[in-house]
Amino acid sequence: MGPHPAVAAIRLAVRRVLHDVLTEFHRHADPHRPAGAARPPAPAARPRYAEAGAAGAPALPGRTALPERPDAPLVLVACSGGADSMALASALAFEARKLSVRAGGITVDHNLQHGSDLRAAEVVARLAAMDLDPVEAVAVHVGRDGGPEAAARDARYAALDAAAERHGAAAVLLGHTRDDQAETVLLGLARGSGIRSLSGMAAASGPAGRYRRPFLQLDRQTARKACLVQSIPVWDDPHNTDPAYTRSRLRHEGLPALEKALGKGVVEALARTAQLSRDDADALDTWAAEAELSVRDETGGLECAGLYALPPAVRRRVLRRAVIEAGAPAGSLFARHIEEIDRLITGWRGQRAINLPGRVEAQRQGGRLVIRQS
């Protein structure tokens, strides 16, 4: 008899991602080896955990000796202790045993709740009990820029980036589900930031695709059920039900109200919208990168006449790219900024220079758009 359907679903999702990581890892390790070619045999394995009674090694009850594979890629799971990330950790631990993958885990202590350090230590113990190695807790300081949710997210990703670099990880798995994707799309829609915001979270993102999200096609209940049937203890973060947080209100009030008004299937539809929007946004970004070359003069400046001839969606992407290249932080650059610059092209009436984040300014001078730091 096979595993419970929920367990089978999470394992399959992780297995697919691990196969992708392995393919990319070996391609980079041997760029001249044709895709699909057989790899040379791995060196003889030795136990990661010594058998009970071995000299100098304590007995580790309940653990299976796993081989060390120093030539194999390391994949870390970012784990908060909640159902989504614990389900992900369990699936990674199971699948890594069958593949040439080393598996570890990281938990981030945001120091936002009393006893968070003890909770982080519990998560580390649970990850270690799954035979993940290395495992560690990383404490961070959460600032205030962008609000509490954005500040916590920035601190968390900075810690995960540092951990991935420190351990030489090929990938970091994140437990975002289809429900999280639907919430992200709605938040982007509320901000009115354009099609890229409606794209939600990518299956792979970060430097060289470091962050992988295997569960974007699975709902939150599947992950929770997988923990339940495997008797995996989980921790429910009280922040997830705190109405002071926008995402929490959306999760417990907004989405249920939409489903009541529109019927079931809203989450699936929003996740599908994210994928379609991402495909469109990627295509427009590629078009903009090519179009930018055609609207720069011999000095590298942007020609207003060439910009004016571009479709608005392409032109605004060219402008955004140019402003970021000039030094404006991407996270502080909003649609209203790009619209103001766009009016220098489409509604020129002698406007003064436009001040932008990062001490960048945009100004029209003699048929050219000049974007530079002031």
Side-chain angles (χ1 to χ4, degrees):
M1 184 176 178
H4 186 279
V7 175
I10 65 170
R11 289 177 179 175
L12 176 59
V14 169
R15 189 183 317 145
R16 287 170 172 165
V17 168
L18 293 184
H19 277 299
D20 290 342
V21 171
L22 277 169
T23 298
E24 294 164 14
F25 176 80
H26 289 297
R27 183 183 299 129
H28 293 150
D30 184 6
H32 302 295
R33 183 173 61 85
R39 295 190 299 274
R46 58 191 179 87
R48 176 183 298 171
Y49 297 116
E51 299 290 348
L60 297 171
R63 289 190 176 183
T64 303
L66 296 178
E68 278 191 357
R69 293 158 292 188
D71 63 326
L74 171 65
V75 175
L76 299 174
V77 57
C79 188
S80 67
D84 301 341
S85 59
M86 288 303 294
L88 183 58
S90 72
L92 173 62
F94 181 84
E95 294 296 332
R97 293 187 181 97
K98 303 190 296 182
L99 300 170
S100 296
V101 173
R102 293 179 293 133
I106 303 292
T107 187
V108 177
D109 175 11
H110 297 84
N111 284 303
L112 294 176
Q113 301 173 37
H114 178 69
S116 63
D117 55 336
L118 298 178
R119 196 166 299 111
E122 290 177 3
V123 174
V124 165
R126 289 171 186 171
L127 295 178
M130 292 180 181
D131 282 330
L132 298 185
D133 180 32
V135 294
E136 67 172 333
V138 180
V140 298
H141 171 72
V142 177
R144 297 183 178 182
D145 291 346
E149 291 168 284
R153 182 176 61 250
D154 290 345
R156 180 167 59 255
Y157 276 101
L160 293 176
D161 277 335
E165 294 292 339
R166 185 165 59 253
H167 294 291
V172 178
L173 305 190
L174 305 177
H176 296 123
T177 64
R178 187 170 63 192
D179 300 79
D180 296 306
Q181 185 75 296
E183 294 161 7
T184 302
V185 172
L186 283 176
L187 289 170
L189 182 62
R191 286 193 298 267
S193 302
I195 194 171
R196 181 55 74 182
S197 284
L198 299 184
S199 301
M201 296 174 286
S205 64
R210 167 180 291 160
Y211 295 107
R212 308 296 176 106
R213 298 176 175 87
F215 290 175
L216 285 184
Q217 302 302 319
L218 301 177
D219 61 29
R220 191 172 287 139
Q221 284 303 114
T222 297
R224 184 168 289 276
K225 185 67 175 179
C227 289
L228 179 64
V229 299
Q230 295 179 100
S231 299
I232 297 174
V234 300
W235 172 67
D236 290 316
D237 187 346
H239 283 173
N240 290 336
T241 57
D242 188 342
Y245 296 97
T246 304
R247 187 177 284 268
S248 175
R249 293 196 303 273
L250 180 60
R251 179 175 301 177
H252 298 286
E253 300 173 24
L255 270 173
L258 280 176
E259 291 202 332
K260 183 177 180 180
L262 303 175
K264 296 293 184 181
V266 169
V267 168
E268 292 87 340
L270 288 169
R272 191 162 54 251
T273 295
Q275 184 57 59
L276 294 172
S277 297
R278 180 166 297 280
D279 291 343
D280 290 349
D282 288 345
L284 286 168
D285 285 347
T286 300
W287 187 357
E290 296 170 352
E292 183 177 354
L293 300 176
S294 70
V295 298
R296 289 194 179 274
D297 59 22
E298 62 278 1
T299 67
L302 291 167
E303 297 177 334
C304 294
L307 287 168
Y308 184 86
L310 294 174
V314 177
R315 180 174 61 246
R316 289 172 185 149
R317 279 170 166 75
V318 171
L319 297 176
R320 179 179 173 82
R321 286 166 56 93
V323 172
I324 293 173
E325 287 175 4
S332 301
L333 200 58
F334 302 121
R336 67 175 185 274
H337 295 128
I338 304 304
E339 289 168 2
E340 289 182 35
I341 306 171
D342 198 39
R343 279 193 286 272
L344 296 177
I345 309 299
T346 62
W348 173 243
R349 295 181 180 83
Q351 297 98 311
R352 299 175 63 181
I354 298 171
N355 295 318
L356 301 163
R359 295 175 51 246
V360 173
E361 66 174 22
Q363 187 174 17
R364 179 164 175 159
Q365 295 179 345
R368 295 172 68 248
L369 185 67
V370 179
I371 301 175
R372 62 192 174 197
Q373 282 193 316
S374 58

